[in-house]
Amino acid sequence: MGADELADSFDGFLGTIGRLAGELRDDELYSSPENRASAHRFLLGMTIARLEEHVLFEPDFPFFRVLDTRIREGGDNSDQRYLISRLNPGETYRIWGTLGDAQRLEVQIYAGDPYLGSGRMASYLAAEDLKVSEDGTFEVIASSVEQPGNWLENPADATRVLVRQIYSDWASAATPGEVHIDRVGHEGDLRPALQPDDLAARLREATSDLVAQARAWPALVKKGYLDASPNTLSEPFDPGSRGGVPGRWMVRGNFAFGDDEAMVITAWPGSGDYQGIQLLDPWFSSLEYANRQTSLSGDQAHRDADGAYRFVVSARDPGVPNWLDTMGLVQGVILMRYDGSTTPDFPEDEHPRAVTVKIDALGDVLPADTPRLGPEDRAQEIAVRRRHVQQRFGN
């Protein structure tokens, strides 16, 4: 392979970024000024992720890339730290580390991209099934042949492994835990110098994946979220068939209202050990969650005397604990997750429900004893959030 082919691959990647930017600018969502900066940030985040996944990291000498606040990809959960690595199909990998203060830790292997409508979930190890030593350490083997202990099948069509570290109580989760990956039997191998043909191939893979990802998420939001009636929630559903966590319940919704309105969501505690609610933009990226309160977990949220959570989605701070800040978005996405459920069904009388009211009329729908928060209280909450996110991502 000559230098021209490497240059063509590099220039093709850069040109693809420009073409995708043009597609985003032609999108109907881009016509709203509030979505223009986030559209470009979305594309930049997708670019970082594809460069890390295909160009900088490799399955022969694996390291986990982190889906964090830089990337905000694919409906990323504000309560999670995602770790992702490509795999060589059928080979043996060791995933090891410490649990730390994570509420849950789950490991999943994909074949293809089921969350984009192609491929499948190949294997999954739930937090309930993960064997952790008394000192908080764990080891998971991914291989083609079953192994004793924590094991995941790494089949002939596997593409990547995803680890989810889930944090619910941000005020006390000061030790995030560590997760690492090795290709068994090759821990001492010398990594060869990068060659032009190898880099060219990686750039082509990154280009193809960037196109797929950048087009898929806005399309999913428009078809699966914004096409529903404004300010409504779906019935709970299991996302396992699309690459989500098997046994997880999710609720999707949207908001669209003015500065003087609010959406009040009433929800009940699930049977599992984690639940959360968050807001996202029309590109399916989480809203800023370290320095704004755009998400709440079950451990963070206030519960009313009747046992229910009542979340207030609005642009203006209504001075209540369970406020979800739209950051001024006129239109956006709502995601709710319930993990570790111990019952096979989601009781119909506990489905989350929503009502839209004027902010000045919140007293008509919230309990009379709803606590009130002032600016200093809110600032203290934000400081706790910021500290946890810094600790979670080590920055």
Side-chain angles (χ1 to χ4, degrees):
M1 177 179 292
D4 289 346
E5 189 165 352
L6 173 58
D8 289 345
S9 299
F10 187 90
D11 294 345
F13 182 78
L14 297 180
T16 297
I17 297 173
R19 287 192 297 275
L20 291 171
E23 291 182 15
L24 289 172
R25 293 168 193 152
D26 290 336
D27 193 294
E28 59 184 328
L29 293 170
Y30 193 83
S31 62
S32 176
E34 66 177 1
N35 292 329
R36 294 174 184 170
S38 59
H40 288 87
R41 185 181 63 184
F42 161 73
L43 181 56
L44 290 170
M46 296 303 96
T47 302
I48 292 170
R50 306 290 77 79
L51 285 173
E52 288 186 345
E53 177 140 327
H54 297 285
V55 178
L56 302 180
F57 296 163
E58 60 177 297
D60 284 352
F61 299 86
F63 292 100
F64 280 118
R65 73 174 181 90
V66 182
L67 198 168
D68 55 16
T69 56
R70 302 165 304 148
I71 296 171
R72 302 181 185 271
E73 176 181 6
D76 55 306
N77 186 350
S78 309
D79 292 320
Q80 292 186 183
R81 181 173 182 251
Y82 300 83
L83 303 168
I84 305 166
S85 175
R86 287 189 298 139
L87 301 174
N88 290 328
E91 293 197 16
T92 301
Y93 290 84
R94 173 177 175 255
I95 299 164
W96 55 281
T98 58
L99 190 61
D101 291 330
Q103 185 86 1
R104 298 176 62 83
L105 189 144
E106 303 158 342
V107 189
Q108 196 168 19
I109 290 179
Y110 290 136
D113 297 309
Y115 45 89
L116 298 184
S118 63
R120 65 187 179 94
M121 185 196 71
S123 54
Y124 170 67
L125 182 64
E128 290 79 11
D129 299 324
L130 178 70
K131 299 176 179 66
V132 181
S133 300
E134 291 184 2
D135 61 359
T137 61
F138 67 90
E139 176 184 88
V140 179
I141 298 297
S143 63
S144 59
V145 178
E146 186 172 357
Q147 305 287 331
N150 296 315
W151 175 73
L152 282 172
E153 181 185 9
N154 181 22
D157 58 346
T159 51
R160 59 178 58 83
V161 59
L162 169 65
V163 178
R164 295 178 178 89
Q165 295 171 286
I166 302 175
Y167 301 91
S168 183
D169 184 356
W170 292 18
S172 61
T175 306
E178 298 182 6
V179 185
H180 311 284
I181 184 170
D182 286 306
R183 183 172 165 232
V184 174
H186 299 273
E187 294 85 351
D189 288 1
L190 298 178
R191 185 174 182 174
L194 184 63
Q195 300 300 313
D197 57 345
D198 186 20
L199 179 56
R202 295 186 192 192
L203 285 166
R204 288 193 296 270
E205 291 177 355
T207 301
S208 177
D209 196 17
L210 178 60
V211 171
Q213 301 279 349
R215 290 174 176 170
W217 299 120
L220 182 148
V221 168
K222 282 184 282 190
K223 184 177 180 180
Y225 292 82
L226 301 185
D227 61 349
S229 298
N231 306 323
T232 59
L233 300 173
S234 73
E235 293 186 355
F237 65 94
D238 185 339
S241 63
R242 294 297 297 271
V245 175
R248 163 183 282 178
W249 291 101
M250 294 187 70
V251 174
R252 59 181 173 231
N254 69 71
F255 62 87
F257 43 66
D259 289 345
D260 62 340
E261 293 180 301
M263 184 178 178
V264 179
I265 297 172
T266 302
W268 287 263
S271 63
D273 60 355
Y274 166 78
Q275 68 186 81
I277 181 172
Q278 70 176 122
L279 307 182
L280 304 98
D281 66 25
W283 314 108
F284 216 34
S285 300
S286 62
L287 297 189
E288 167 59 38
Y289 53 79
N291 304 285
R292 304 286 286 252
Q293 187 168 286
T294 62
S295 70
L296 286 168
S297 69
D299 286 318
Q300 293 172 317
H302 167 78
R303 286 178 63 185
D304 293 321
D306 63 356
Y309 300 105
R310 289 175 175 86
F311 303 100
V312 178
V313 181
S314 63
R316 287 164 41 195
D317 188 344
V320 298
N322 293 350
W323 175 46
L324 294 172
D325 181 0
T326 66
M327 297 182 61
L329 280 181
V330 174
Q331 186 179 44
V333 166
I334 300 167
L335 265 183
M336 304 178 71
R337 296 174 173 88
Y338 298 78
D339 286 0
S341 297
T342 58
T343 56
D345 300 313
F346 200 116
E348 187 171 351
D349 61 350
E350 294 183 2
H351 287 193
R353 61 174 187 257
V355 61
T356 303
V357 299
K358 296 293 185 181
I359 289 184
D360 294 341
L362 280 173
D364 297 337
V365 295
L366 296 178
D369 60 351
T370 299
R372 308 299 299 184
L373 274 68
E376 292 184 1
D377 300 312
R378 190 72 72 197
Q380 184 176 0
E381 287 186 339
I382 298 300
V384 170
R385 296 176 70 86
R386 175 177 171 78
R387 181 176 180 84
H388 165 76
V389 173
Q390 288 177 304
Q391 291 172 327
R392 187 200 309 176
F393 294 116
N395 54 27

